[in-house]
Amino acid sequence: MLTEGTARSLGISFGWATNLISLLVLLAWIPLREPPGLGTLLNVAVVGFAADATATVLPHPHGILARIGYLILGLVALAFFDALYLGALFGSGPRDGIMTGLLRLTRRPVAVVRTGVEVVVASAGWLLGGTIGAGTVLIALCMGPLVGYFLPLVAVHAPAASEDHGRSSSAAM
């Protein structure tokens, strides 16, 4: 929704709006002291262009059942792959860095923090002229709980600095 509103306001593609927002959101990392990583750079460089490319090759859904299927499949896939790359410890994407920074500062559950981020983003998108529909509400309310569900299943456990350096195991949470 934020991306849609930004794209409409600036007259640019969804992908370019995604990349632009990503760069601006990184500024919010400064007070959160969130460190960037390879995942951060790749997210900023690739996600927007991949969104534009996917939109050109993915067939448009015909009928309400196909649209609902796309929404549900897309939501679950987005949450799973979001948790997968966060769990790999390669660095957060821009919005995920806001989430992980707030998780560290507030010590609130992933579901609560991510839902708050998604609601703020949806509201900002609406203010910029984006469309609010059932899908927007579903994503805003379900993305946090889904990421919170998947993250412990796929996260790599990085040994703490105080652990025995003779051990070299990285086990999943």
Side-chain angles (χ1 to χ4, degrees):
M1 171 119 138
L2 176 60
T3 305
E4 178 192 17
T6 301
R8 282 186 184 173
S9 296
L10 298 177
I12 58 177
S13 76
F14 186 88
W16 275 107
T18 298
N19 290 348
L20 178 63
I21 291 167
S22 293
L23 289 171
L24 293 174
V25 169
L26 288 176
L27 296 175
W29 285 28
I30 295 167
L32 295 173
R33 297 180 186 201
E34 191 65 21
L38 178 61
T40 309
L41 299 174
L42 290 174
N43 189 297
V44 171
V46 174
V47 170
F49 300 115
D52 280 345
T54 301
T56 63
V57 298
L58 193 66
H60 289 280
H62 296 289
I64 190 71
L65 290 179
R67 292 173 65 191
I68 291 170
Y70 269 37
L71 174 62
I72 292 171
L73 181 62
L75 173 60
V76 172
L78 178 61
F80 174 76
F81 289 112
D82 195 65
L84 190 64
Y85 93 86
L86 282 171
L89 304 176
F90 285 129
S92 304
R95 190 181 301 181
D96 296 314
I98 300 292
M99 178 190 74
T100 57
L102 290 172
L103 285 170
R104 192 177 60 256
L105 292 174
T106 66
R107 305 239 187 259
R108 307 292 297 162
V110 170
V112 171
V113 172
R114 182 60 181 253
T115 301
V117 169
E118 295 296 335
V119 167
V120 167
V121 168
S123 300
W126 177 71
L127 291 171
L128 287 170
T131 307
I132 284 194
T136 305
V137 173
L138 187 68
I139 290 168
L141 297 179
C142 294
M143 187 68 178
L146 284 170
V147 171
Y149 170 78
F150 287 128
L151 192 56
L153 301 175
V154 299
V156 171
H157 172 68
S162 63
E163 287 186 24
D164 179 9
H165 293 290
R167 290 184 270 165
S168 61
S169 66
S170 292
M173 288 178 139

